[in-house]
Amino acid sequence: MAKKAQVTWGGRFSSAPADLMLRFSESVSFDSRLAPFDIQGSKAHSAMLAHVGLITKKERDAIHTGLDAILVEIEAGKFVWETRLEDVHMNIEQALTKRCPAAAKLHTARSRNDQVATDMRLYFKAACSDIFVQLDAAQRAILSVAEAHADVLIPGYTHLQRAQPVYLAHHLLAYLEMLQRDAERIVLVADHANWCPLGSGAIAGTTLPIDREFTAKTLGFVDAKGKPRVTQNSMDAVSDRDLFIEFASACALIGVHLSRMAEDMILWASQEFKFVELPDAFCTGSSLMPQKKNPDSMELIRGKSARLQGNLHTLLVLAKGLPLTYNRDLQEDNPPVFDSHDQTALCLAVLAGTISGMEVHRVRCAAAVADPALLATDLADYLVRAGVPFREAHHAVGAVVKLAEESLLPINQLPYDEVKRVHPAIKPDWVESFDLAKAMARRTGTGMPGPAQVKRQLARWNKLLG
Ligand code: ARG
């Protein structure tokens, strides 16, 4: 049986939506999160309406008082969200209507389309600054571990095979570079969010004499000089979801970075490496095997990074092929964005917590890096310094490596008499190439893992992070 249409848009309807349709189409279960931004937007909008004379100052004040009271209720968890009212916008408007007659004028020259676009832009600014703060905290945590173990050397790996020695700090500072690029991306997303779509209406603006610049200014959508930034095409403004994709993309890339760090930690914490001991507080045990200590925090970061990529993909597919302008499909854009925000923030905090509590097994690191084969390239450089072309030097050192393997000796313990037969440029001082401290000190160029460079980088990061 047809129910009486009582919804906001019910004028042209003779029956209310089916309960199933209500359950299917509601978004308030997730977009209630936008309430503070929705209220901020409505206050600015009603201030503008009063400014241009579309409502009185008294009506504006009544609307503001009502919205403030509603926000207090929401924040106290006392507000009753009704699924029947579909979304955050209509829930708040209805609650306001119960408080003051002026509420009926709030939606003048506004549509939920430009309203939600505005809410989301305000949300993105806040979300970006939240992620920025978390990135910064994670960077600081990594930096302090790097500083606390500034003298520890480990093998660096390519193809997960021991390659060349590096300072542990140099390895950790690589993560800071990744997170720094992430922070720069997030700042860019926040800047892209900084345009006010309010006034675009449902699709084609309004015939009423609104002042878009006033609203933009009130909401802080301004450039560095304080000039209002308003979107320039009403159709684009209500259907543009680039920001959602940009934000999810920035989060997905943070996830990629965090999962790579997580993978390093998982390897380093294994019995096979044992470079580090992860804190108990971020590990779990086995219900069966009493000896187990599992790096779950790092594994979950690795796992959640898949989810972040999934969210990005959801948004890309959602927007693809949609005709202009607003389509209800777009309501599905909220959950992946909120999820990316929450999970990215959590992952960053967990990474910071795990790394901060990590212990470094200096003895194990020293044993691993003592492998003289790690400095085979330095022997080739020794030959280059003696005038040997690099390809020839590489070949000669390869032969020395083979000799060592065959005689089951560490490369630097091969007798000189045998080694010198490989190449005439190999002199008795050849073995100094395997002096780890000297080898590290030779790496003096910018970005290299020499001790002076690493020190300089630590100082740079200290300055950068303040
Ligand atoms: N909850 C809706 C969304 O997020 C608000 C916009 C509704 N607009 C509409 N034309 N039905 O997409």
Side-chain angles (χ1 to χ4, degrees):
M1 206 187 72
K3 290 179 199 162
K4 195 174 160 301
Q6 76 223 61
V7 279
T8 320
W9 34 261
R12 56 105 62 224
F13 283 74
S14 49
S15 111
D19 284 343
L20 179 60
M21 177 56 185
L22 279 176
R23 267 201 293 134
F24 186 59
S25 68
E26 69 82 26
S27 56
V28 68
S29 55
F30 51 84
D31 69 13
S32 58
R33 176 174 180 153
L34 295 174
F37 308 109
D38 197 69
I39 286 172
Q40 196 189 347
S42 289
K43 285 179 76 175
H45 182 67
S46 49
M48 183 277 291
L49 292 176
H51 175 71
V52 299
L54 283 167
I55 64 172
T56 65
K57 298 205 159 39
K58 246 180 105 178
E59 287 168 328
R60 175 201 62 197
D61 293 344
I63 289 172
H64 283 201
T65 308
L67 287 172
D68 287 340
I70 289 169
L71 183 60
V72 169
E73 250 184 51
I74 292 171
E75 280 171 350
K78 292 199 182 116
F79 189 86
V80 184
W81 297 103
E82 290 191 54
T83 311
R84 174 179 68 84
L85 296 172
E86 240 183 74
D87 58 21
V88 60
H89 321 295
M90 300 217 275
N91 265 274
I92 291 174
E93 198 187 311
Q94 284 283 310
L96 188 66
T97 305
K98 283 191 202 134
R99 286 169 188 268
C100 68
K105 294 190 177 178
L106 172 62
H107 214 52
T108 309
R110 186 176 75 170
S111 154
R112 274 185 297 158
N113 294 352
D114 59 349
Q115 187 178 358
V116 73
T118 307
D119 290 5
M120 286 307 288
R121 283 176 178 273
L122 291 168
Y123 161 82
F124 278 122
K125 285 198 198 186
C128 286
S129 80
D130 180 28
I131 297 294
F132 187 89
V133 169
Q134 298 287 352
L135 280 166
D136 184 72
Q139 284 182 303
R140 281 166 200 273
I142 296 167
L143 179 60
S144 44
V145 177
E147 278 186 312
H149 307 283
D151 58 327
V152 173
L153 285 161
I154 54 168
Y157 293 78
T158 66
H159 311 265
L160 203 51
Q161 306 291 318
R162 284 180 183 170
Q164 292 183 300
V166 292
Y167 282 97
L168 173 71
H170 190 62
H171 190 125
L172 295 174
L173 293 185
Y175 302 153
L176 290 200
E177 299 286 344
M178 299 180 196
L179 296 180
Q180 189 64 18
R181 292 193 294 276
D182 289 328
E184 285 166 15
R185 255 185 294 278
I186 280 290
V187 168
L188 204 64
V189 177
D191 184 55
H192 289 178
N194 195 23
W195 291 88
C196 188
L198 213 54
S200 302
I203 163 169
T206 173
T207 59
L208 297 167
I210 61 168
D211 183 342
R212 292 195 60 202
E213 284 69 21
F214 181 97
T215 324
K217 248 183 157 158
T218 308
L219 288 172
F221 290 109
V222 291
D223 66 14
K225 289 189 191 126
K227 235 183 87 199
R229 276 173 138 191
V230 298
T231 54
Q232 300 289 305
N233 182 297
S234 62
M235 293 179 73
D236 178 50
V238 293
S239 61
D240 165 30
R241 293 299 183 271
D242 290 3
L243 264 176
F244 296 61
I245 293 168
E246 287 182 55
F247 179 77
S249 167
C251 290
L253 197 40
I254 293 173
V256 168
H257 292 153
L258 294 184
S259 72
R260 296 186 73 178
M261 298 176 204
E263 177 58 19
D264 278 342
M265 294 309 129
I266 292 165
L267 284 170
W268 287 1
S270 70
Q271 289 301 329
E272 283 67 23
F273 280 74
K274 255 305 168 234
F275 291 173
V276 299
E277 181 79 28
L278 297 179
D280 283 2
F282 287 92
C283 292
T284 65
S286 158
S287 57
L288 181 83
M289 300 164 282
Q291 88 283 11
K292 288 297 290 292
K293 175 171 162 185
N294 299 325
D296 290 28
S297 63
M298 296 295 105
E299 291 171 317
L300 279 166
I301 284 177
R302 204 173 51 183
K304 281 174 193 281
S305 73
R307 193 163 150 186
L308 297 175
Q309 291 178 31
N311 290 339
L312 169 61
H313 199 71
T314 298
L315 291 163
L316 284 166
V317 177
L318 183 68
K320 179 205 157 301
L322 275 190
L324 291 185
T325 53
Y326 180 84
N327 299 271
R328 193 63 184 276
D329 317 39
L330 291 176
Q331 181 174 292
E332 289 292 314
D333 62 13
N334 276 217
V337 160
F338 295 155
D339 188 58
S340 285
H341 176 180
D342 296 341
Q343 294 303 321
T344 303
L346 254 177
C347 286
L348 284 164
V350 167
L351 181 99
T354 308
I355 290 217
S356 298
M358 176 176 99
E359 270 174 56
V360 175
H361 290 310
R362 291 169 160 265
V363 177
R364 290 291 299 239
C365 294
V369 81
D371 178 357
L374 289 166
L375 292 169
T377 312
D378 290 52
L379 181 59
D381 290 348
Y382 162 89
L383 293 175
V384 167
R385 281 195 293 274
V388 181
F390 180 73
R391 276 292 150 233
E392 190 181 322
H394 186 284
H395 196 80
V397 176
V400 180
V401 170
K402 197 166 166 214
L403 210 62
E405 265 172 22
E406 280 165 5
S407 28
L408 298 175
L409 281 173
I411 187 168
N412 59 341
Q413 282 171 35
L414 284 170
Y416 174 60
D417 285 345
E418 272 182 55
V419 178
K420 74 177 179 197
R421 269 185 260 139
V422 173
H423 198 286
I426 299 182
K427 303 293 175 205
D429 65 350
W430 75 288
V431 81
E432 277 172 32
S433 301
F434 298 100
D435 182 318
L436 193 52
K438 279 191 192 150
M440 294 317 290
R442 281 203 191 96
R443 286 154 165 89
T444 55
T446 303
M448 297 182 194
Q453 273 303 333
V454 171
K455 225 170 132 187
R456 198 166 303 158
Q457 290 296 333
L458 287 170
R460 169 178 160 251
W461 280 111
N462 262 308
K463 213 169 134 198
L464 259 168
L465 300 176

